[in-house]
Amino acid sequence: MEELLEGLNEAQKEAVTSTEGHIRVVAGAGSGKTRALTHRYAFIVEALGIEPSNILCVTFTNKASHEMRRRVKRLIGGEQDTGYITTYHGFCVRVLREDIHRLFYPKNFVIMDVEDQKAVLREIFEDLGLKLNDKTFKRLLDKIGMLKGNTHYVQQMVSRGGMVPEDEVEDLDSKIIQLYLKKQKRVFGLDFDDLINFTFVLFSMYPEVLEKWQDRLFYIQVDEFQDSNSKQFELIRMLAEKHGNLFVVGDPDQTIYEWRGADPKFIVDFHDFFPDSTSIYLNKNYRSTPEILTVGNSLIRHNYLRVDKDMVTDNTNGVKALHYHGEDEQEEAKWVVRKIKQLMKEKAASYNDIAILYRANYLSRFIEQALIKENIDYTIYGGFKFFDRMEVKDAIAHLRMIAFADDLSFTRIINVPKRQIGKKRMQVLRELAETENLSFYETLKKHIDHPGFQRTQAKQFIEVMESLRQKRDRIKISELLQEALQRSGYEAYIREDGDQERLDNLTELLHSIVQYEQTLGEDIELEEYLQMLTLYTEHDRDTQTDTVKLMTIHTAKGLEFPYVFFIGLTESIIPNIRTLRDRKERGLEEERRLAYVAVTRAEKELYLTESEGFQSGGMKKYPSRFLFEIDEESYERIGKLDKAFEEEAKEYIQSYARHESHEKTNGFKIGTQVKHPVFGTGKIDDIDENKNVYVIFFEKLKAPRPISRNFKKLEQID
């Protein structure tokens, strides 16, 4: 047990050894939360003697779950099954693979990604004779996403009655959505929204299934809890209800996904949901210099919806953060490039040590031009995703054909390379399949001698697939893919095309599978690998080449770099113009959290840059309010910021300053005794009219806290 606690600080030790009950760990940036999580998991296994099959550990990306599994295996030995270290989606797949048959779906259902969803829409548009349009696809996918905001539609998909009759559908969009659900059901495909919705329906219709999982999962851990949405929270709450052992780790100051449903209240108000809960604070930062933490602390302190903490560090002092103010974008970009060259020369930095972060993708353009001009290699993260490339999607479709023989994969590869099965023959096949209620693959197998399929290479395709399906359990996934690409003629087809980059991408895919097999060190089922790929996000990709990294702040979350340039710190870019116009305090706080995440990515040196000029649309550029919120003594300014221009900027900011001031406040007076859900009881010492906050001395805190007058959970004590 000493080995598991060795090298941990006191707060981490407390987190690792606190195994029973509802526990909230507020873990700031760079505080070693993954270490605490993995060592706690190992502690439960080694010290308590609990089997890993009785522990659920939820993370938000596949990369995080793989890293956690790797670390845990190193701590507890490589033989034990750590399959329940997974993502929310991954866990739902495990539940559904066991019991979805109760909803009249097969256990080998297909998981659909966005490209699969578009393929279904494309087919519907062709059937209805509509013009293909990507913008229309996005609008329809958004509408489908809204429909799947609750579970009502699932009853329609799992009932034997089926879909809404076409004559009851009012408009074209609704008709397309109904056809989409019908085709989705026909291929037994579930998209990301379906995975959690079907799990909820399964649990509500069959309480014994929920009870089985509650019985099985004695301990539940959740990483990045601040990013949980209401459905994910409810799922975890249900699963933990029986044994009451729920351990959540997160940082409300890093909630940057509210726009897709994440809600920091689940971690901020954790005690309200679980009154018997205890809290542990990891506020020791192992990543950054004291100077960088000072910038981050002074910025995030302006947020109200948070758990109060200042990050501290034992790291040695570094240099002050630098703020560069340029006359225009070109000057800003030139300064960044000069600084990069200086770091290379004076600090022996490599390109890999340097990241340039920005609020929106379009901001990379002027930096890219400057980097190209100076022959500095760079990589844009979050550009065209590796697993969205045509040849990679085709290769994965071969594996999916072997695993599921689903219609989506069949349609993608049946005529690639050419097998003389074009639109007309596909229409014949589709009609036969509809009539006999079979998949395209089973229909083609059954009707291989049909006159419509003569003079095609359909028979060879079936023979190859049948052969591969028979040997799938005897050889590794990497070997299976290699054989599939060779025997299907796909590799030769790409080679003949003469595009070396496409061949390189196929090689990288094979290499990634080999790495995956070696990392997990256990037999991997083909379905499990395909599930991992479908739930893959761009956060999961590593790039080893020595290049400067350019990325949005959202993409940078969870990463760290010795030298960080946070560019485009301009009012109406960050915070963005939509937030300013909405005048919502909640939106402004999320933008401030984004800036905080950008700042805390830096390990050694931090550079904040912005410039004058005009944005597209003619809007004048001013420095972001976040620059003015940071304590002036915590950074050094380079570049001339004219005093009159600075005053003009502050006036512009002030015009958008009163967020939600039109809303009714709770109207307490100075001297009022109040109760706060997190800080406890206190007394209003002052009211800051400019910032619209109460200054409150809480009994258990050493210094006053500024609490928004719009904060509804502040109660008066009689």
Side-chain angles (χ1 to χ4, degrees):
M1 293 312 99
E2 287 179 10
E3 284 180 25
L4 289 176
L5 301 179
E6 195 178 334
L8 301 179
N9 64 40
E10 288 308 308
Q12 288 172 328
K13 283 179 186 174
E14 186 185 355
V16 167
T17 55
S18 300
T19 60
E20 309 307 304
H22 299 101
I23 301 159
R24 173 185 71 167
V25 177
V26 180
S31 62
K33 69 178 179 64
T34 305
R35 188 160 191 208
L37 271 166
T38 52
H39 281 245
R40 181 180 186 269
Y41 187 109
F43 186 86
I44 291 170
V45 173
E46 298 291 329
L48 306 187
I50 303 294
E51 285 293 317
S53 57
N54 296 125
I55 309 168
L56 172 64
C57 184
V58 179
T59 68
F60 266 81
T61 67
N62 285 291
K63 182 179 180 181
S65 68
H66 293 157
E67 175 61 18
M68 204 165 284
R69 281 167 83 173
R70 189 183 66 77
R71 290 200 199 184
V72 163
K73 280 178 177 293
R74 208 168 58 208
L75 293 168
I76 66 172
E79 298 305 311
Q80 303 191 63
D81 178 20
T82 54
Y84 291 142
I85 299 178
T86 183
T87 61
Y88 279 113
H89 289 121
F91 172 73
C92 289
V93 171
R94 294 289 290 257
V95 172
L96 296 172
R97 292 276 187 231
E98 282 193 27
D99 286 295
I100 199 172
H101 63 277
R102 295 169 183 261
L103 303 178
F104 310 108
Y105 268 65
K107 291 185 179 185
N108 66 337
F109 59 87
V110 175
I111 305 172
M112 298 169 60
D113 63 13
V114 175
E115 285 304 308
D116 294 327
Q117 292 178 286
K118 286 182 179 177
V120 171
L121 285 177
R122 210 168 283 121
E123 198 177 300
I124 293 168
F125 272 48
E126 286 175 4
D127 290 347
L128 297 177
L130 300 172
K131 187 180 176 186
L132 299 177
N133 185 317
D134 269 354
K135 283 185 180 174
T136 310
F137 279 12
K138 186 181 183 316
R139 182 173 58 77
L140 284 165
L141 287 175
D142 286 345
K143 275 196 166 187
I144 291 165
M146 287 171 67
L147 170 74
K148 294 183 177 183
N150 59 53
T151 59
H152 297 157
Y153 76 97
V154 178
Q155 300 292 349
Q156 175 186 334
M157 291 187 75
V158 302
S159 67
R160 295 211 180 247
M163 304 299 146
V164 177
E166 285 191 31
D167 56 357
E168 291 182 24
V169 178
E170 295 174 5
D171 57 69
L172 183 59
D173 278 4
S174 300
K175 183 178 182 180
I176 291 169
I177 289 169
Q178 284 302 312
L179 285 169
Y180 174 89
L181 295 177
K182 186 177 178 182
K183 284 183 181 289
Q184 194 186 335
K185 182 175 181 179
R186 194 175 171 283
V187 300
F188 296 116
L190 300 187
D191 61 29
F192 290 0
D193 288 329
D194 297 324
L195 293 174
I196 197 162
N197 287 335
F198 271 63
T199 301
F200 272 121
V201 169
L202 186 62
F203 284 167
S204 64
M205 289 178 70
Y206 298 95
E208 66 272 22
V209 176
L210 171 60
E211 194 172 348
K212 174 180 74 173
W213 284 96
Q214 288 175 330
D215 285 340
R216 190 179 295 180
L217 303 174
F218 281 78
Y219 294 91
I220 297 175
Q221 299 187 158
V222 185
D223 190 15
E224 302 285 10
F225 191 64
Q226 78 279 351
D227 289 335
S228 298
N229 61 34
S230 55
K231 276 188 193 173
Q232 292 163 340
F233 173 74
E234 182 58 22
L235 178 68
I236 289 298
R237 191 196 60 74
M238 287 167 70
L239 291 168
E241 202 164 22
K242 187 157 193 174
H243 298 298
N245 295 323
L246 176 60
F247 180 89
V248 303
V249 183
D251 182 5
D253 292 339
Q254 294 186 70
T255 304
I256 59 174
Y257 292 111
E258 281 200 77
W259 50 276
R260 66 181 190 200
D263 195 333
K265 77 178 179 190
F266 297 124
I267 189 164
V268 171
D269 299 334
F270 192 74
H271 186 70
D272 290 352
F273 296 106
F274 305 103
D276 63 341
S277 64
T278 56
S279 293
I280 299 166
Y281 300 89
L282 302 185
N283 68 340
K284 188 172 184 179
N285 179 286
Y286 292 92
R287 175 187 298 157
S288 307
T289 63
E291 289 81 1
I292 291 166
L293 289 185
T294 301
V295 172
N297 287 336
S298 71
L299 173 64
I300 202 62
R301 219 170 277 144
H302 291 268
N303 269 13
Y304 307 125
L305 184 62
R306 65 187 297 258
V307 179
D308 192 55
K309 66 180 187 323
D310 265 3
M311 297 304 294
V312 297
T313 186
D314 292 338
N315 291 343
T316 55
N317 285 354
V319 296
K320 268 191 176 184
L322 285 183
H323 164 218
Y324 175 78
H325 173 80
E327 291 182 11
D328 53 36
E329 283 182 350
Q330 286 69 34
E331 285 300 314
E332 185 181 351
K334 281 178 190 173
W335 185 84
V336 169
V337 170
R338 279 200 308 273
K339 197 70 199 172
I340 289 173
K341 286 184 160 184
Q342 189 182 333
L343 289 172
M344 305 278 290
K345 187 177 177 182
E346 296 177 8
K347 303 286 177 76
S350 70
Y351 288 149
N352 257 345
D353 293 335
I354 299 164
I356 300 174
L357 310 183
Y358 35 78
R359 175 65 179 85
N361 273 309
Y362 70 87
L363 292 166
S364 72
R365 182 184 52 79
F366 68 92
I367 287 288
E368 281 189 76
Q369 289 169 343
L371 291 169
I372 290 167
K373 190 175 179 184
E374 295 297 325
N375 290 319
I376 294 176
D377 291 332
Y378 66 91
T379 300
I380 296 184
Y381 270 46
F384 196 63
K385 296 180 178 66
F386 179 74
F387 282 91
D388 284 346
R389 294 176 191 276
M390 179 201 83
E391 61 280 5
V392 176
K393 296 285 288 182
D394 288 347
I396 301 302
H398 282 79
L399 287 179
R400 274 179 42 161
M401 272 303 301
I402 297 166
F404 309 118
D406 62 291
D407 288 359
L408 296 169
S409 304
F410 180 93
T411 306
R412 184 174 187 97
I413 64 171
I414 185 59
N415 212 35
V416 182
K418 290 271 190 290
R419 296 186 179 92
Q420 291 75 49
I421 303 176
K423 278 190 179 179
K424 286 184 179 176
R425 287 191 168 105
M426 274 304 296
Q427 189 56 40
V428 171
L429 185 66
R430 187 174 283 117
E431 287 168 5
L432 285 168
E434 293 263 358
T435 305
E436 300 184 16
N437 198 26
L438 293 173
S439 70
F440 292 160
Y441 181 74
E442 290 299 325
T443 306
L444 187 60
K445 257 173 69 177
K446 183 177 177 182
H447 296 281
I448 197 67
D449 295 321
H450 185 285
F453 306 126
Q454 300 302 315
R455 298 188 301 281
T456 73
Q457 292 172 32
K459 190 171 279 189
Q460 293 92 316
F461 178 77
I462 295 287
E463 286 169 358
V464 169
M465 285 300 145
E466 286 299 296
S467 165
L468 292 166
R469 296 184 88 193
Q470 284 170 16
K471 63 166 67 175
R472 53 171 286 189
D473 296 326
R474 300 198 304 272
I475 62 176
K476 291 180 177 178
I477 299 168
S478 51
E479 294 166 356
L480 190 66
L481 178 58
Q482 204 156 14
E483 192 170 331
L485 296 180
Q486 286 170 355
R487 291 184 57 190
S488 67
Y490 187 80
E491 189 181 328
Y493 158 74
I494 292 293
R495 212 174 280 283
E496 284 162 18
D497 196 39
D499 191 331
Q500 186 58 43
E501 189 180 345
R502 292 195 188 285
L503 278 172
D504 289 344
N505 287 333
L506 289 177
T507 303
E508 186 177 339
L509 173 63
L510 281 163
H511 178 63
S512 73
I513 297 174
V514 171
Q515 278 188 320
Y516 183 71
E517 290 165 339
Q518 290 172 344
T519 302
L520 290 188
E522 54 193 51
D523 290 335
I524 309 150
E525 291 184 359
L526 179 57
E527 287 84 355
E528 184 189 345
Y529 173 72
L530 290 169
Q531 169 193 320
M532 183 280 294
L533 276 194
T534 314
L535 304 180
Y536 189 96
T537 72
E538 190 63 8
H539 279 94
D540 300 328
R541 189 150 185 243
D542 279 326
T543 201
Q544 300 301 325
T545 51
D546 187 24
T547 56
V548 174
K549 307 296 184 267
L550 274 63
M551 65 190 82
T552 64
I553 303 166
H554 283 99
T555 304
K557 188 169 180 286
L559 303 177
E560 54 190 43
F561 303 91
Y563 306 99
V564 167
F565 292 84
F566 180 7
I567 67 165
L569 257 162
T570 298
E571 190 75 1
S572 78
I573 291 177
I574 184 164
N576 68 23
I577 190 64
R578 288 189 307 279
T579 300
L580 296 178
R581 285 174 179 159
D582 285 349
R583 295 178 180 270
K584 296 286 185 188
E585 191 68 42
R586 190 78 175 249
L588 183 63
E589 291 210 358
E590 174 144 6
E591 291 292 303
R592 191 177 287 111
R593 289 195 294 265
L594 265 173
Y596 176 74
V597 166
V599 164
T600 53
R601 297 313 91 201
E603 296 172 348
K604 295 180 179 178
E605 296 184 21
L606 172 67
Y607 303 97
L608 311 170
T609 76
E610 47 76 37
S611 52
E612 295 178 37
F614 294 89
Q615 298 183 56
S616 56
M619 191 184 297
K620 194 169 182 181
K621 292 171 67 179
Y622 296 107
S624 168
R625 67 183 64 204
F626 300 148
L627 280 166
F628 298 122
E629 288 178 353
I630 298 166
D631 294 339
E632 281 189 28
E633 61 272 17
S634 66
Y635 65 89
E636 186 182 328
R637 181 171 291 151
I638 295 173
K640 189 184 176 189
L641 183 57
D642 184 74
K643 214 54 183 158
F645 179 73
E646 186 175 343
E647 288 306 312
E648 191 182 324
K650 287 178 178 176
E651 279 179 31
Y652 175 78
I653 290 165
Q654 194 60 35
S655 69
Y656 283 109
R658 274 299 176 89
H659 282 68
E660 297 178 344
S661 58
H662 57 282
E663 289 190 12
K664 189 175 180 229
T665 69
N666 33 33
F668 302 136
K669 296 176 182 176
I670 292 174
T672 304
Q673 294 280 342
V674 291
K675 185 179 180 184
H676 188 283
V678 176
F679 300 139
T681 56
K683 181 180 172 185
I684 297 176
D685 188 62
D686 195 9
I687 297 175
D688 187 330
E689 296 288 351
N690 288 329
K691 292 184 178 176
N692 199 34
V693 301
Y694 298 116
V695 180
I696 305 176
F697 271 93
F698 291 101
E699 291 169 8
K700 61 182 182 182
L701 299 178
K702 294 177 182 176
R705 292 289 180 268
I707 305 296
S708 170
R709 294 169 82 189
N710 299 319
F711 185 57
K712 300 291 189 292
K713 294 187 178 179
L714 201 63
E715 298 173 6
Q716 183 171 348
I717 301 173
D718 295 330

